[in-house]
Every structure is written in structure tokens, then in C-alpha cells.
Amino acid sequence: MELPILTSNYEHRSSYSSPSDPLKMTDSSLSSLGAKVVVASSSDENHPPENIIDGNTQSFWMSTGLFPQEFIVRFSEPTSISAVTVDSHNVKQLRIEKNTSQNASQFEFVTEKDFEHTEGHLQSNTLSLNGSSAIHLRFIITTGYDYFVSVHRVTVQN
């Protein structure tokens, strides 16, 4: 797969509205449950950050090739999270941080994991968050196996 070269990094803010149903993390996409990607370190109009939370592994967010890369997911209310599963391609190391404030600042470390390189299929890694409560989760891709990485889906178990 040939990937386009992107030259700019910028903050991306999405505009999903929250559903009236209570936040319940099961098989639904995070976006249908009111979660939003509120910050992304890079964006491509063909592969926007919102694709991370749409529940579809055929769509994805793609980095611009510099590291670290990050994105922040905001939940509609404080959410207890036992684990996060990340479906990705070419991610070498991922760090997850959280906060419980309404502002996406002052995060605390939760976990970090080295991903195995997979050739020809998605990486699927589950990271334990031990029931952490969070409003924001920051995902920091510290390094990749190639210049470009993609994140296809993030799911949360509580």
C-alpha cells in the first residue's frame, strides 16, 4: 500500500453530539456512545482522526511520519475503564495517559506497551487500565516500525 506524504501537523477538533443514552462500553463504536477525538497531532482529509472511534477497522487515522504522534479521546462523562484494545498498523510503542478533568491537560501515566510487528494484517493489542476512571485518554505513539502508522480502531472495556 502506497501512503501519501503529509507535511503538516495540527490540532483537530471534531464535532460529534452526545447521545442521550448512558455511556455503556460494549460492542458499539465509541463515537455512537458520545466519545470524541478532541486532539490529534496530524490529520489527512482521507483518513481523519474520527475514524479511530467509528468502530470500523476498514477506516483509519494515519500519522504524518514524525514521532511522537498522539490523539486524545474524550468521553461524555467520567468512565471506568478496565482495558483498551487498539487495532493498528506499524505502531512500535504506545503509551496511554489519562485525566479526570474537563480540560485535556495535566495527564497521568497509565500504561505503556511495545507492539509486535505484523506483516500483512492489523496489530491488535489490549492494554489493561485496571479500572481507571477517566474523562480523557491520551494515546501517544512514541515510535513506529515505519515512517507512517495507522490506528484503525480503539475499543474500551469497562
Side-chain angles (χ1 to χ4, degrees):
M1 172 168 78
E2 185 173 320
L3 300 174
I5 296 174
L6 303 175
T7 58
S8 65
N9 287 344
Y10 65 91
E11 181 174 286
H12 178 84
R13 300 205 180 272
S14 61
S15 59
Y16 290 108
S17 59
S18 297
S20 58
D21 296 334
L23 191 61
K24 182 179 177 190
M25 304 293 176
T26 54
D27 294 346
S28 300
S29 69
L30 290 178
S31 63
S32 71
L33 298 170
K36 301 176 186 178
V37 177
V38 294
V39 173
S41 57
S42 60
S43 186
D44 172 350
E45 65 185 35
N46 295 318
H47 307 290
E50 293 87 357
N51 288 348
I52 296 168
I53 60 170
D54 69 3
N56 180 1
T57 58
Q58 298 302 309
S59 64
F60 56 92
W61 167 72
M62 186 172 57
S63 73
T64 57
L66 302 172
F67 294 101
Q69 290 284 326
E70 71 176 66
F71 59 92
I72 299 174
V73 174
R74 183 183 194 284
F75 299 99
S76 59
E77 61 187 40
T79 303
S80 179
I81 304 165
S82 62
V84 172
T85 300
V86 178
D87 295 313
S88 58
H89 186 68
N90 281 334
V91 172
K92 190 171 187 177
Q93 186 177 61
L94 178 73
R95 174 185 174 106
I96 298 177
E97 300 174 347
K98 70 166 188 149
N99 86 7
T100 54
S101 72
Q102 294 298 319
N103 298 320
S105 62
Q106 299 190 354
F107 287 82
E108 64 183 77
F109 174 83
V110 180
T111 190
E112 190 170 59
K113 184 172 182 177
D114 292 332
F115 290 10
E116 287 187 34
H117 188 248
T118 57
E119 204 57 52
H121 58 88
L122 291 179
Q123 301 163 301
S124 186
N125 289 273
T126 300
L127 295 87
S128 175
L129 273 57
N130 299 319
S132 293
S133 180
I135 291 179
H136 295 95
L137 287 180
R138 177 164 49 185
F139 297 79
I140 303 169
I141 301 167
T142 56
T143 188
Y145 286 103
D146 200 346
Y147 295 111
F148 298 95
V149 299
S150 59
V151 178
H152 294 248
R153 180 175 57 191
V154 171
T155 56
V156 174
Q157 297 81 43
N158 58 349

